Amino acid sequence: MSRSDKRWRRMLGRGEERPRKARRWTRIAAAVQGPPTVFLILRRMRAPLIVLITIFAISVLGLTLVPGRDETGQPARMGFFDAFYFMSYTATTIGYGEIPHEFTGAQRLWVMASIYLTVIGWAYAIGSLLTLLQDRAFRQALALQRFTRTVARIREPFLLIAGYGQTGQLLGRSLDALGRRLVVVDSNAERVDALDIDAYRADVPGLAGDARNPQTLEHAGLGHPYCEGVLALTDDDEVNLAVAMTAALVRPELPVIARTVSPAVGYRMAAFGSPTVVNAFDRYGDHLRLALRAPASYQLMVWLESGLGATLPDRAQPPRAGRWVLCGYGRFGRELTEDLHAEGLTVTVIDIAASADPDPWVVVGDGSEPSVMARADLAHAVGFVAGTDNDTTNLSLVAAARRINPHLFVASRQNRPETAPLFAAMRVDSLLVPAEVVAHEIYAQLSTPLLWHFLREMPALGDRWAANMITRLHKHCGRRLHGLWRTTLDADEAPALIRWLRDGRATLRDLLRHPDDRDERLDIVPLLILRDEQATLGPADDAALQAGDQILFAGQPWDRRALLDTLTVDSVSQYVLYGRRVPSSWVWQRLTHSPRSG
C-alpha cells in the first residue's frame, strides 16, 4: 500500500478521528488581497465626497456671513451651529423651516443657490456610487471578501476543489450526497454562479479565480485547519500541476488528487510529495484490459464506482482475439494501442497526421473516407475505436464503421457533455467519458477508503468470484445500489457488542440477524473485512469477527438502520445474538435485575 493511499485512509475515512498532531505549513502572504472594501469605496468616492463637503462647507459659511434680522427687526447673524443644522435638514430634503428667525431676502437667495448646488453635488455622488457598484473590480473585491469570510467560518472538514467543470460537478454532487463539505475554485464565473442554484445539501462557497495563483488557493482555505484534501480537476494539466505543487509546498501533510492526460505532467506532479494522479486515458485502457480478461470483474468495478443509486450495468463482452481498428493516434490512441498490444491483440491505426517515422500498423488518412477504411480492412476487424478529440467526427466514424461491418465491437470517446444524448442514441458498446472516469475513481477513493481497497484487490480473485459477488449483491440489494458504508467493531461504533466480541465466538451470520426476527437475515452483503491491514474480500457468513475489525457493507438503508440497532442497543443485541428478550429501559432492567451486555 502506497504512502498516499495510507494517508487517504487515515484522514478521509468516514468516522475516523482526524490526527491531533501539530500541523506545519507555509503561510502565504495576503498582500495581494488589497485593502478592505470600505477603503476601496472611499478611494473611488474621494472626488464626489470632496465636492459634497465643499458645497456643504460653503453653504454653511455663507449662512453665517449673510446678515439677517430677529423678531424685533434688529440685525442678527446665524451662528455656525444653527447654519449647520439648517443645511443638514435642507440638504437631505427634510425641510423643517427657517430658523432661528425668519430669513431675509438675502438669506433666502443664498439658500436657493445652496439648494441647487447641493442637488448637483448629490447627483454627482449618487451617479459615482452607482458606477462603483457596477464596476467589475469592485464587485470582484466584494465577492472575494465575502468568500474569504465564509470559508473562514467553516468549522468542519472540507475538500478544496480546483476546477468545477464536468468532473468537478459530478464529483461535487456525489460527495455532497455523502455529507462532505466542499469549497470550489474555478476560472469560469458562470460555473461558480451555478453553485447558488445547484441542489446541494450544504452551502458550497465558490470563487472565480485562477487556481495557479497561490493567493487564490489561500483565500479558498488551503491554510485552513479544517481543509482535509485538495482536488485538482481543471481541464488544463499545467493548472493542475500548479495546484498540486502549491499544496505540496504550503501544506505537505494534505492529501492531493490531481487529474491529467499527460504522463509527463504526472511525473512532474510526483516530484512534489505523493499526490494521487488520475489519467483518464490510462485508466480507460486498464478498464478495457480488465473487460477483456474478466468481464464480470469489470462489471462489478463499474457498478461500485458509479456511486449511490447506480444501476447494475450490462456485462460487456469485448472480443478477446482478432484485430482492432483505431481512429485517432493522439495521447488517447497511443495509450489504448499499447494496452491492446499488451493483451496480445493486433491493432490498425488510422491517423490523419503522418509522423516522420510512422509505425507499421498506422494508416495515414482521413478515417471518414471509404478508401482509407478499405486500406484498414475494417470488414475483417473485430473491434473499432473512434478516439479523436472531436465528437462529431467520432459519431460519423462509428456510423461509417457499422455500415461496413455491423458485427464490430464499437468503442468511442465522448469529449463534451452536450453530445451525451447522441452517443446514447448511437448505442456504442464502450464509451469513454474522461470526466466520468476521473470522477468515479476519485469518488471510490474518497467515499469509503475500504471501497478503494476492495476495488484494487478484487480483480486478482478471478472472474468467477466477481460473478458470484454480483449474484449476491443482486439477490440482497436488487439492481440498484442504495448504500455502501463502513462499520468498525469497537466501543465507539458497536458498544453493545464488546462482550460478544471478546467471547471469541462472533461470526457475520450472527451479526446480520434481523432485530425483529433473528431467524431472518438482513439484506446486507459484507464486501470486505479489514483486520490489521489484512483484507478479506467477500467474507462468508461463518467468517469470525474480532474487536477492531472494519467491515465494508452494501445494502438497503432500512437494513443499515436495523444493523445500527444491533450495534448500539443492548436489548436488541441480546435478542439478535442469544435469542434473549431483555427489557430495553433502565427502569425495567433494574426491576428485573437484567444485566447489561457491555
Short mmCIF file of all heavy atoms in Angstrom, two decimals, residues 19-43:
data_model
loop_
_atom_site.label_atom_id
_atom_site.label_comp_id
_atom_site.label_asym_id
_atom_site.label_seq_id
_atom_site.Cartn_x
_atom_site.Cartn_y
_atom_site.Cartn_z
N PRO A 19 -6.09 13.37 12.81
CA PRO A 19 -4.87 13.41 13.60
C PRO A 19 -4.79 14.70 14.40
O PRO A 19 -5.09 15.78 13.90
CB PRO A 19 -3.76 13.34 12.54
CG PRO A 19 -4.41 12.75 11.34
CD PRO A 19 -5.82 13.19 11.39
N ARG A 20 -4.35 14.57 15.64
CA ARG A 20 -4.29 15.73 16.52
C ARG A 20 -2.90 16.34 16.60
O ARG A 20 -2.69 17.28 17.36
CB ARG A 20 -4.73 15.32 17.94
CG ARG A 20 -6.16 14.81 17.99
CD ARG A 20 -7.13 15.86 17.53
NE ARG A 20 -8.50 15.39 17.62
CZ ARG A 20 -9.55 16.07 17.23
NH1 ARG A 20 -9.38 17.26 16.68
NH2 ARG A 20 -10.77 15.57 17.34
N LYS A 21 -1.95 15.81 15.83
CA LYS A 21 -0.61 16.36 15.92
C LYS A 21 -0.57 17.77 15.35
O LYS A 21 -1.39 18.16 14.53
CB LYS A 21 0.38 15.47 15.16
CG LYS A 21 0.10 15.40 13.66
CD LYS A 21 1.10 14.52 12.99
CE LYS A 21 0.86 14.47 11.47
NZ LYS A 21 1.83 13.59 10.81
N ALA A 22 0.39 18.55 15.79
CA ALA A 22 0.50 19.92 15.33
C ALA A 22 0.83 19.96 13.85
O ALA A 22 1.64 19.20 13.36
CB ALA A 22 1.60 20.66 16.13
N ARG A 23 0.16 20.87 13.13
CA ARG A 23 0.38 21.00 11.71
C ARG A 23 1.38 22.12 11.43
O ARG A 23 1.37 23.14 12.11
CB ARG A 23 -0.93 21.28 10.98
CG ARG A 23 -1.93 20.14 11.07
CD ARG A 23 -3.18 20.52 10.29
NE ARG A 23 -4.14 19.44 10.25
CZ ARG A 23 -5.03 19.20 11.20
NH1 ARG A 23 -5.06 19.95 12.26
NH2 ARG A 23 -5.87 18.20 11.09
N ARG A 24 2.16 21.93 10.40
CA ARG A 24 3.12 22.95 10.00
C ARG A 24 2.90 23.25 8.53
O ARG A 24 2.83 22.35 7.70
CB ARG A 24 4.56 22.48 10.22
CG ARG A 24 4.91 22.20 11.67
CD ARG A 24 6.25 21.52 11.77
NE ARG A 24 7.27 22.27 11.07
CZ ARG A 24 8.49 21.79 10.83
NH1 ARG A 24 8.81 20.59 11.21
NH2 ARG A 24 9.37 22.53 10.18
N TRP A 25 2.76 24.52 8.21
CA TRP A 25 2.65 24.87 6.80
C TRP A 25 3.18 26.28 6.60
O TRP A 25 3.34 27.06 7.52
CB TRP A 25 1.22 24.77 6.30
CG TRP A 25 0.24 25.70 6.93
CD1 TRP A 25 0.01 27.00 6.60
CD2 TRP A 25 -0.65 25.40 8.00
NE1 TRP A 25 -0.95 27.53 7.37
CE2 TRP A 25 -1.40 26.58 8.24
CE3 TRP A 25 -0.91 24.27 8.75
CZ2 TRP A 25 -2.36 26.64 9.22
CZ3 TRP A 25 -1.89 24.33 9.71
CH2 TRP A 25 -2.58 25.50 9.94
N THR A 26 3.47 26.61 5.36
CA THR A 26 3.97 27.92 5.00
C THR A 26 2.79 28.84 4.73
O THR A 26 1.98 28.58 3.86
CB THR A 26 4.85 27.84 3.74
OG1 THR A 26 5.90 26.91 3.99
CG2 THR A 26 5.42 29.20 3.39
N ARG A 27 2.71 29.89 5.49
CA ARG A 27 1.60 30.83 5.33
C ARG A 27 1.86 31.72 4.13
O ARG A 27 2.94 32.30 3.99
CB ARG A 27 1.46 31.68 6.60
CG ARG A 27 0.20 32.55 6.60
CD ARG A 27 -1.01 31.72 6.88
NE ARG A 27 -2.22 32.53 6.91
CZ ARG A 27 -3.42 32.05 7.10
NH1 ARG A 27 -3.58 30.76 7.28
NH2 ARG A 27 -4.48 32.83 7.13
N ILE A 28 0.88 31.84 3.25
CA ILE A 28 1.01 32.70 2.07
C ILE A 28 0.62 34.11 2.46
O ILE A 28 -0.43 34.34 3.05
CB ILE A 28 0.12 32.20 0.92
CG1 ILE A 28 0.51 30.77 0.56
CG2 ILE A 28 0.23 33.09 -0.29
CD1 ILE A 28 -0.37 30.16 -0.50
N ALA A 29 1.46 35.08 2.14
CA ALA A 29 1.16 36.46 2.46
C ALA A 29 -0.10 36.91 1.75
O ALA A 29 -0.35 36.56 0.60
CB ALA A 29 2.33 37.37 2.07
N ALA A 30 -0.88 37.72 2.43
CA ALA A 30 -2.18 38.14 1.89
C ALA A 30 -2.13 39.54 1.32
O ALA A 30 -3.14 40.21 1.19
CB ALA A 30 -3.24 38.07 2.98
N ALA A 31 -0.95 40.02 0.90
CA ALA A 31 -0.84 41.38 0.41
C ALA A 31 -1.60 41.60 -0.88
O ALA A 31 -2.11 42.68 -1.16
CB ALA A 31 0.63 41.74 0.20
N VAL A 32 -1.72 40.53 -1.69
CA VAL A 32 -2.37 40.68 -2.98
C VAL A 32 -3.87 40.92 -2.81
O VAL A 32 -4.54 41.42 -3.69
CB VAL A 32 -2.11 39.43 -3.85
CG1 VAL A 32 -2.75 39.56 -5.22
CG2 VAL A 32 -0.62 39.23 -4.02
N GLN A 33 -4.42 40.59 -1.66
CA GLN A 33 -5.84 40.77 -1.44
C GLN A 33 -6.23 42.23 -1.50
O GLN A 33 -7.35 42.57 -1.86
CB GLN A 33 -6.23 40.18 -0.10
CG GLN A 33 -7.74 40.30 0.18
CD GLN A 33 -8.11 39.69 1.49
OE1 GLN A 33 -7.28 39.08 2.16
NE2 GLN A 33 -9.36 39.85 1.87
N GLY A 34 -5.30 43.13 -1.18
CA GLY A 34 -5.59 44.54 -1.27
C GLY A 34 -6.30 45.05 -0.03
O GLY A 34 -6.56 44.33 0.92
N PRO A 35 -6.65 46.35 -0.03
CA PRO A 35 -7.30 46.95 1.13
C PRO A 35 -8.72 46.44 1.28
O PRO A 35 -9.32 45.94 0.34
CB PRO A 35 -7.27 48.44 0.79
CG PRO A 35 -7.26 48.49 -0.71
CD PRO A 35 -6.47 47.29 -1.13
N PRO A 36 -9.30 46.61 2.48
CA PRO A 36 -10.69 46.21 2.67
C PRO A 36 -11.60 46.98 1.73
O PRO A 36 -11.27 48.04 1.20
CB PRO A 36 -10.95 46.57 4.14
CG PRO A 36 -9.60 46.58 4.77
CD PRO A 36 -8.66 47.04 3.72
N THR A 37 -12.81 46.46 1.54
CA THR A 37 -13.74 47.06 0.59
C THR A 37 -14.10 48.49 0.96
O THR A 37 -14.29 49.34 0.09
CB THR A 37 -15.02 46.20 0.52
OG1 THR A 37 -14.65 44.84 0.29
CG2 THR A 37 -15.92 46.66 -0.60
N VAL A 38 -14.18 48.80 2.27
CA VAL A 38 -14.56 50.14 2.69
C VAL A 38 -13.52 51.16 2.22
O VAL A 38 -13.88 52.28 1.78
CB VAL A 38 -14.75 50.20 4.22
CG1 VAL A 38 -13.44 49.87 4.94
CG2 VAL A 38 -15.27 51.57 4.64
N PHE A 39 -12.25 50.80 2.23
CA PHE A 39 -11.23 51.73 1.76
C PHE A 39 -11.27 51.86 0.24
O PHE A 39 -10.97 52.93 -0.30
CB PHE A 39 -9.84 51.27 2.21
CG PHE A 39 -9.65 51.34 3.69
CD1 PHE A 39 -9.54 50.19 4.44
CD2 PHE A 39 -9.61 52.56 4.35
CE1 PHE A 39 -9.39 50.24 5.81
CE2 PHE A 39 -9.45 52.62 5.72
CZ PHE A 39 -9.34 51.47 6.46
N LEU A 40 -11.65 50.77 -0.44
CA LEU A 40 -11.82 50.87 -1.89
C LEU A 40 -12.97 51.82 -2.23
O LEU A 40 -12.86 52.63 -3.17
CB LEU A 40 -12.10 49.48 -2.46
CG LEU A 40 -12.31 49.40 -3.99
CD1 LEU A 40 -11.07 49.86 -4.71
CD2 LEU A 40 -12.66 47.98 -4.40
N ILE A 41 -14.04 51.76 -1.44
CA ILE A 41 -15.15 52.68 -1.66
C ILE A 41 -14.72 54.12 -1.42
O ILE A 41 -15.02 55.02 -2.22
CB ILE A 41 -16.34 52.31 -0.74
CG1 ILE A 41 -16.88 50.93 -1.10
CG2 ILE A 41 -17.44 53.36 -0.82
CD1 ILE A 41 -17.96 50.44 -0.16
N LEU A 42 -13.99 54.34 -0.33
CA LEU A 42 -13.54 55.71 -0.03
C LEU A 42 -12.60 56.23 -1.11
O LEU A 42 -12.64 57.42 -1.46
CB LEU A 42 -12.87 55.73 1.34
CG LEU A 42 -13.79 55.47 2.55
CD1 LEU A 42 -12.97 55.44 3.82
CD2 LEU A 42 -14.87 56.54 2.63
N ARG A 43 -11.74 55.35 -1.65
CA ARG A 43 -10.81 55.81 -2.68
C ARG A 43 -11.54 56.17 -3.97
O ARG A 43 -11.27 57.19 -4.60
CB ARG A 43 -9.76 54.74 -2.95
CG ARG A 43 -8.70 55.20 -3.93
CD ARG A 43 -7.52 54.25 -4.00
NE ARG A 43 -7.91 52.94 -4.49
CZ ARG A 43 -7.86 51.83 -3.77
NH1 ARG A 43 -7.49 51.89 -2.50
NH2 ARG A 43 -8.21 50.67 -4.28
#
